[in-house]
Every structure is written in C-alpha cells, then in structure tokens.
Amino acid sequence: MSQPTIESILHEERLFHPPAEFSQHAQIKSLEQYQQLYDKAKADPQAFWAELADTELHWFQKWDTVLDWQPPFAKWFVNGKINISYNCLDRHLTTWRRNKAALIWEGEPGDSRTLTYAQLHREVCQFANVLKQLGVEKGDRVGIYMPMIPEAAIAMLACARIGAVHSVVFGGFSAEALRDRLVDVQAKLVVTADGGWRKDVIVPLKEQVDKALAGNSAPNVENVVVVRRTEQKITMESGRDHWWHDLQAKASADCPAEPMDSEDMLFVLYTSGSTGKPKGVVHTTGGYNLYTHITTKWIFDLKDTDVYWCTADVGWITGHSYIVYGPLSNGATSVMYEGAPRASNPGCMWDVIEKYGVNIFYTAPTAIRAFIKMGEQLPNARNLDSLRLLGTVGEPINPEAWMWYHRVIGKERCPIVDTWWQTETGGIMITPLPGAVPTKPGSATLPFPGILADIVDLEGNPAPASEGGYLAVQHPWPGMMRTVYGDPDRFRRTYWEHIPPKDGQYLYFAGDGARCDQDGYFWVMGRVDDVINVAGHRLGTMEIESALVSHSAVAEAAVVGKPDDLKGEEIVAFVTLENNIAASDELKNELKKHVVQEIGAIARPGEIKFADALPKTRSGKIMRRLLRSLAAGEEISGDTSTLEDRSVLEKLREG
Ligand code: 7RM
C-alpha cells in the first residue's frame, strides 16, 4: 500500500453523505448538531465533560473539581468516586438488560458461549474474590496473558472491581517480551490459559509464562491462574499455579465494587515508541470510563438492540476500549471472536456476521486489504443485511480499500467511521459521527467534540494548509494517558515537550503526520517517528534492532519500514555482522527466528539485508531516511551531504 500523499489527498473529491434513514435515527443526527456539540465543548470543555459524566455514568460520590491541569499532568473529576466494573455491569442489572447478552463469544474450533449481563457480573464477582484470596489488593498489578476468550474480559473487569491494576500483554508476544512487561509493571499475579487458538494452531501460553518466570526472573509474581482452554499438557507448579475453574467454583459471587478514586490507576498497557523499551501507558478510572463510554455511544451510534463486533484483540488498546469497557458501559452486546481468516476458513468473518446478525462491524485496514485479496465471492455468499455501520482503525486506510469496504461489505448503504486514535489517547479522537458527518475515502474527517486537534510545525505554529505537519492536541481530554508507568519524565519529554510549550501552553504530540483539507477534514498520513505499523501492529524500530543486536553474530542493525500492499508496512533490517561471521541464508533465517523469540511473531522481519557498513552521519547517527528509500527501491533523493562515507551507500545499492 502506498502511504497517502498530499497530491492524492488534494485529488480526493468523493463525498459520501450519511443516508437520510441512518441520520434520522442516529444519536447525532446532523452536521449542525455535531457543530453545536463541538462549539459547546470548545467554549467550555469542563462544563461539557462534567455534564456527560453526570448523565452517563454512575458515581458513588461526585467530584469536586472537573479538571486539575498541571501541565502535562491532568486529573479529571477530582475526588469523584467511581468503579468502571460497576458501570459496565451492576448498573445494568436493575434494568431489562439484566438478561441481555453482554458478551457473545465465538471461539475456535466451533465453540461458542453467550454471557448475559447477570452471568458476566457473577463470573466477575467470583474472580474478583479469587484475586482477593490470592492476596491481590487495591493498587496491585495483575498481568493478563490470554487468548481471545471471555475469561480475558472477566479478569480485566475483576481487577477493576477490586481496584487492582491490569496489564494485558498480547498473546502473540514472546516469553521474553512478556517477562520485560511483567517485571516493569511488577505484577503480583498472572492470569493465563493452557493455550490459545491462533489460525488452526495452538499457542502454548502457559509454557511461555513458565519461561518468562523461570529462575525467578519476574520476582514479584506469586501466583499464576490458568484457564483450561486447549487441553494440551502443561506443567502446574504447586503453590504457584492454580486452575481457574477450581478457584472459580469455590469462590463467592458476592463482591461489591470498590469505590475507586476517579484518578486511581485502572490499567497499564505497553506500547512501542521511537526510543528505548516499550512504555507502560497509564490510564485511570473516571476519565477513561467517560471517554470510552461516550465515544462508543456516539461514534458507533449504539442502539439497545444492536449486535456490535470489534475484531481487535483484547491485548491492544482497541480491545480494551471498544470490546470491553466502552460497549459494556453502554449496556451493549459485544462480540468477541477467537478466530481469524486463514486458508482453511477464509470466509469466517462473514459467517460470524451472519450467525449473530452483527449490526456494527469495526476492523482494521490491513484486514480489509486481506479480504479484498481473498475475493468478493466470500462475503457475497453470506447474508450481511444486518450490517448498518462499519468502522476502521489502526492505520491510514487507502481509498481503494475504503471503496471496497463501502461497496462490497456495506452495500453502499452503511456509513464508514475511519477512527484515528492511539493507545495514549484512550479512545477515538478524530472520526466522523456516522449520522452527521459526510465521509471522504481515506480521511478520518473531524475531531470528536471536546478534542481540539491541530496541525502544527515543530515549533507549534499552525502548519500551512497546503503542506501538512504534525498532529497535535491542544487541551487535555478525559481519556488521555496520565503518565508513563514509573517514568513521568519520559511522559513529559515524549508527548508534551517534543513541541516546546509556549507561554505555558502545552501541545500533545501524537507522532503522526497529518494534513487538513479545505473543509477542515483531517488526513492522517502515518508516523513521523521511528515507529512502524505492520498489519496495524505498532512496533518500534529500536526494539527490533535491540533484538537483532542481542544475537552474537550481529554487530549493528538498522530497521526500517517498507510499503507493503497487505500489511501497510513490512520490516526490513539492515545488518552488519561481527568480523568472523559469514553472511548466509541460514543466518538470515536464524536472525528472523531470533527476533520472533525476543519479541514475538508480529516483529518477524520480512527481509534481512547484510551490509558491510551502515550509512551514518559524521556524528554517527544511522541515516534511516536513506535506508527507507533503499528498502522501497526508490531513488535516493534529498540531502546526502551529511553522509560520512559515500561509498557505503554505493555498496548497499549494489546489493
Ligand atoms: C488505536 C491504535 C496508534 C497509531 C497512530 C497512527 C495509527 C490508528 C488510524 C491511524 C491513520 C487511522 N492504537 N492509526 N488509527 N492512522 N488513520 N484511523 O491503533 O497505539 O496501536 O497505534 O496507529 O499512526 O499513531 S496504537
């Protein structure tokens, strides 16, 4: 896929109005209504958020200050007492939703399970008691390393219920990556499963946990709770490991939700940046609850009869905010799917839509491009009439993929919400409201009410309309991350001082390049830092470089992204070897395997290129810009005058 260019944006003239029938019944019904909300929020953000917090959420005790902003540290709903598990469960039990499906789980191979709000509440209360019995207290951290099964959501909600802080680690990460995260967050307990299904194969999750904990390398972990899922043989360490079903069967279902301070930590989720180790992004309770609640309600235009399906994994922020917390806080029916399209079952997504009558479908551009490749006969063979709204997230969507989604899946009658946001923002920031904002293929359109998005240069000055610049946000919002776990200084430097504050005015730097068109529509062009986006997964080039350099044969490594039709970007690694080591295809494979072992399969380099030397500046910085052009097979353009040794480039070009 080619990254969007300013030229392609300038030539995109197609405009799709929300269908009248859709707008008529929508939460937000017209562009005027959106504009009113936007203006109201802009004029008095605190009043705007306070009114929503009051009407949309249950508080045990009301806050006394809406926002305490000590840049770049924000506190929302100060001294308010709230519990997100209460808002996601208990408050629905006294309504007709008590027996409504909360989670519909479609598992592999052919398993399924539906949990009503009452049933989910019961399971969550029981597991909350299990956590307590195992010594987990308010403020303690709990690692969750799980397949896409209901127990993942149950564990998250159980933590939230007693005030424990969850840190979900995507099940595709390796034992090493898991260990790094468990150590950084000082997890006291880990919840996992014997295994998980990933495209016809079993991922040995418990085995990975054993590896991560071996030799007391994550010393804070006292207990491991294991869900029986795939039934393959695992070893259970006595005193440390416990079966979920044993504990759950004995646990009381009575566990009132702990009134949490609005600013108590809810979870830590690790994400990659341009430097150093992945950062533990910290989200707190009240603001996150409100932000995910209201964005879900307005952007996905939730109706009480809807079946809503977000295809993300709960190991990513999209799963946290838009499978679990946002939908459940609204009392919605949220589908959770363990499977994934693959050669043996290429039409499985459409089967799920047909089986459950899915109305709202939220997925990633990389998935859409894979659907295109598999052919429209697959969706065409299923009844997709239930669909009324489509969404995308994770990377810029190329207009061709947007048009295919609109025509083949949406049958030209479903609005598409292209939602821009990040782990750090907690929830969706730039997006159409589907009944209100006309869409353009490839544009995330307009900011959500209360979000003051800007495009600026590195001094924080507005970028000229024709050129584009850096995406930034002006005012704090309730869902924003509060800090980097254990490193507030890194939080300040990375996000709030990258663009130097002027007169005490701080701008949040998102790390994306973007442009605004003549209608004020945002076009996000992709990362401007050393973060690459492979199939919607966010990876830091430096993490992959560190993994490569940790191999004894490697002297130096530089990793860049190369445009890829399916995955958006593909990882290309330039590697120089230690003196006595010879380059070979076997070594390439070994290095790829090594990266998988260090980080996980999502970080496997697509290509490894051996080089005698890497192009560097006189001050010794690797010139990635040149490597990016080389990887993409482009002519090297721009300034190469800072290159220390020009022959390095010639050699690399010769291959
Ligand atoms: C939700 C999520 C964040 C990065 C972000 C962007 C890219 C996400 C879009 C997008 C263009 C979109 N969180 N991104 N959504 N780019 N249009 N609609 O993906 O932390 O994992 O990644 O993803 O580069 O900075 S994330």
Side-chain angles (χ1 to χ4, degrees):
M1 182 200 70
S2 51
Q3 292 276 331
T5 60
I6 287 182
E7 286 66 39
S8 68
I9 292 167
L10 288 171
H11 290 117
E12 183 57 72
E13 278 166 5
R14 287 169 290 195
L15 189 68
F16 294 85
H17 290 277
E21 157 75 12
F22 190 101
S23 297
Q24 203 183 345
H25 302 286
Q27 299 274 356
I28 312 299
K29 297 178 167 49
S30 64
L31 196 54
E32 294 67 48
Q33 197 188 347
Y34 160 77
Q35 197 65 53
Q36 275 166 14
L37 282 167
Y38 183 86
D39 293 344
K40 182 175 154 187
K42 186 173 175 175
D44 191 347
Q46 298 195 28
F48 175 78
W49 293 118
E51 187 186 329
L52 288 170
D54 205 26
T55 52
E56 299 287 330
L57 299 182
H58 169 272
W59 296 83
F60 297 110
Q61 180 189 302
K62 213 171 150 168
W63 58 90
D64 43 48
T65 308
V66 180
L67 171 65
D68 172 6
W69 177 226
Q70 315 278 343
F73 300 99
K75 290 186 180 148
W76 281 92
F77 310 112
V78 181
N79 291 328
K81 298 278 182 266
I82 186 169
N83 186 297
I84 195 169
S85 145
Y86 186 96
N87 276 311
C88 287
L89 301 167
D90 304 57
R91 64 164 163 166
H92 306 310
L93 301 185
T94 50
T95 71
W96 69 271
R97 293 192 191 96
R98 178 178 183 85
N99 297 317
K100 174 180 176 175
L103 281 181
I104 295 179
W105 175 68
E106 178 71 11
E108 296 277 326
D111 293 351
S112 63
R113 186 178 171 197
T114 296
L115 286 145
T116 64
Y117 274 93
Q119 289 168 327
L120 183 60
H121 173 259
R122 185 183 167 83
E123 294 272 351
V124 168
C125 288
Q126 284 178 306
F127 196 64
N129 280 324
V130 166
L131 291 173
K132 282 197 216 166
Q133 280 156 28
L134 293 175
V136 175
E137 291 173 8
K138 188 166 166 171
D140 286 343
R141 275 80 58 211
V142 171
I144 299 180
Y145 184 62
M146 292 277 258
M148 281 287 284
I149 56 177
E151 287 81 356
I154 293 167
M156 290 164 73
L157 290 160
C159 287
R161 195 160 187 88
I162 63 170
V165 176
H166 59 70
S167 188
V168 184
V169 179
F170 172 58
F173 277 120
S174 69
E176 276 73 14
L178 171 64
R179 188 213 299 124
D180 288 348
R181 288 158 176 75
L182 293 177
V183 168
D184 190 77
V185 85
Q186 299 154 290
K188 195 168 180 185
L189 182 144
V190 177
V191 187
T192 189
D194 53 356
W197 289 101
R198 195 164 292 275
K199 298 192 181 180
D200 304 318
V201 295
I202 290 173
V203 185
L205 293 169
K206 172 60 167 59
E207 210 179 291
Q208 305 273 35
V209 171
D210 291 342
K211 272 193 215 158
L213 302 184
N216 202 29
S217 50
N220 293 291
V221 177
E222 292 167 7
N223 291 287
V224 178
V225 181
V226 187
V227 176
R228 180 171 280 156
R229 170 73 193 112
T230 52
E231 311 239 348
Q232 90 249 48
K233 244 187 105 52
I234 56 166
T235 48
M236 295 289 279
E237 191 180 299
S238 102
R240 187 195 72 181
D241 299 349
H242 318 267
W243 284 109
W244 170 290
H245 55 266
D246 286 344
L247 300 173
Q248 198 71 342
K250 284 179 267 169
S252 152
D254 179 26
C255 180
E258 183 76 19
M260 302 298 294
D261 191 275
S262 175
E263 278 301 327
D264 277 338
M265 222 189 295
L266 174 64
F267 66 84
V268 179
L269 185 61
Y270 285 82
T271 196
S272 298
S274 46
T275 55
K277 289 187 306 170
K279 299 180 279 271
V281 171
V282 170
H283 284 287
T284 58
T285 306
Y288 177 83
N289 192 353
L290 177 62
Y291 199 68
T292 53
H293 175 98
I294 200 64
T295 48
T296 309
K297 181 171 175 173
W298 288 353
I299 298 163
F300 298 110
D301 188 49
L302 280 185
K303 303 283 185 291
D304 241 326
T305 50
D306 279 331
V307 176
Y308 161 93
W309 181 20
C310 163
T311 68
D313 191 288
V314 289
W316 307 116
I317 190 70
T318 308
H320 283 58
S321 300
Y322 298 110
I323 295 177
V324 181
Y325 290 117
L328 298 182
S329 182
N330 280 283
T333 296
S334 183
V335 174
M336 190 175 187
Y337 182 45
E338 193 185 19
R342 69 271 196 192
S344 65
N345 195 358
C348 59
M349 308 299 272
W350 321 121
D351 288 339
V352 173
I353 293 176
E354 190 176 80
K355 179 170 176 186
Y356 295 108
V358 170
N359 306 105
I360 303 164
F361 181 62
Y362 187 32
T363 195
T366 186
I368 296 168
R369 292 192 298 268
F371 300 148
I372 297 174
K373 213 166 180 179
M374 289 185 277
E376 39 188 284
Q377 73 285 354
L378 290 168
N380 286 346
R382 273 77 174 182
N383 182 349
L384 305 182
D385 289 350
S386 59
L387 290 174
R388 63 179 195 87
L389 176 60
L390 305 174
T392 76
V393 60
E395 53 178 317
I397 183 164
N398 42 317
E400 313 83 75
W402 196 102
M403 289 304 297
W404 186 92
Y405 200 30
H406 171 70
R407 177 175 61 82
V408 179
I409 308 304
K411 313 286 183 214
E412 300 182 355
R413 62 181 171 75
C414 301
I416 297 178
V417 288
D418 173 355
T419 62
W420 177 86
W421 62 295
Q422 309 177 296
T423 308
E424 293 87 339
T425 67
I428 297 167
M429 301 285 279
I430 303 180
T431 177
L433 296 180
V437 177
T439 52
K440 302 182 188 186
S443 170
T445 75
L446 302 171
F448 193 79
I451 301 305
L452 304 181
D454 256 340
I455 297 174
V456 298
D457 63 21
L458 278 182
E459 273 80 59
N461 304 311
S466 56
E467 278 173 34
Y470 302 96
L471 190 50
V473 186
Q474 262 188 44
H475 188 276
W477 64 100
M480 67 191 265
M481 77 182 283
R482 298 300 192 264
T483 189
V484 171
Y485 188 78
D487 199 348
D489 206 52
R490 190 168 175 203
F491 171 65
R492 175 197 296 278
R493 283 193 321 265
T494 312
Y495 301 104
W496 299 93
E497 291 180 350
H498 196 92
I499 302 167
K502 274 193 298 222
D503 315 320
Q505 283 285 7
Y506 278 69
L507 273 180
Y508 169 80
F509 175 76
D512 280 305
R515 190 187 164 270
C516 244
D517 68 15
Q518 67 284 358
D519 299 323
Y521 276 39
F522 284 75
W523 297 77
V524 181
M525 332 263 295
R527 301 291 304 198
V528 292
D529 52 9
D530 292 320
V531 169
I532 49 185
N533 194 325
V534 183
H537 299 317
R538 180 171 158 180
L539 292 159
T541 53
M542 201 169 136
E543 277 169 81
I544 307 169
E545 288 164 9
S546 307
L548 284 164
V549 173
S550 74
H551 190 283
S552 60
V554 175
E556 236 186 344
V559 165
V560 297
K562 160 187 166 180
D564 181 90
D565 281 346
L566 219 52
K567 294 190 260 180
E569 281 186 283
E570 159 94 295
I571 299 167
V572 179
F574 292 85
V575 169
T576 64
L577 295 172
E578 293 287 356
N579 271 334
N580 50 345
I581 306 283
S584 68
D585 284 345
E586 289 76 57
L587 183 56
K588 280 188 186 176
N589 287 331
E590 191 179 314
L591 293 180
K592 287 182 189 177
K593 258 207 243 155
H594 182 70
V595 175
V596 172
Q597 201 182 343
E598 290 292 309
I599 305 175
I602 53 170
R604 182 198 300 274
E607 238 177 281
I608 290 193
K609 292 177 185 284
F610 291 125
D612 293 337
L614 300 175
K616 289 187 186 166
T617 63
R618 274 168 250 270
S619 60
K621 288 206 176 75
I622 295 173
M623 294 184 75
R624 284 162 207 286
R625 178 174 57 85
L626 302 184
L627 293 175
R628 263 194 292 272
S629 303
L630 270 176
E634 295 164 3
E635 275 305 304
I636 305 248
S637 58
D639 187 16
T640 56
S641 61
T642 51
L643 194 60
E644 189 199 31
D645 176 359
R646 303 187 66 85
S647 70
V648 168
L649 200 59
E650 297 308 319
K651 278 203 192 133
L652 276 169
R653 216 181 323 216
E654 284 155 21

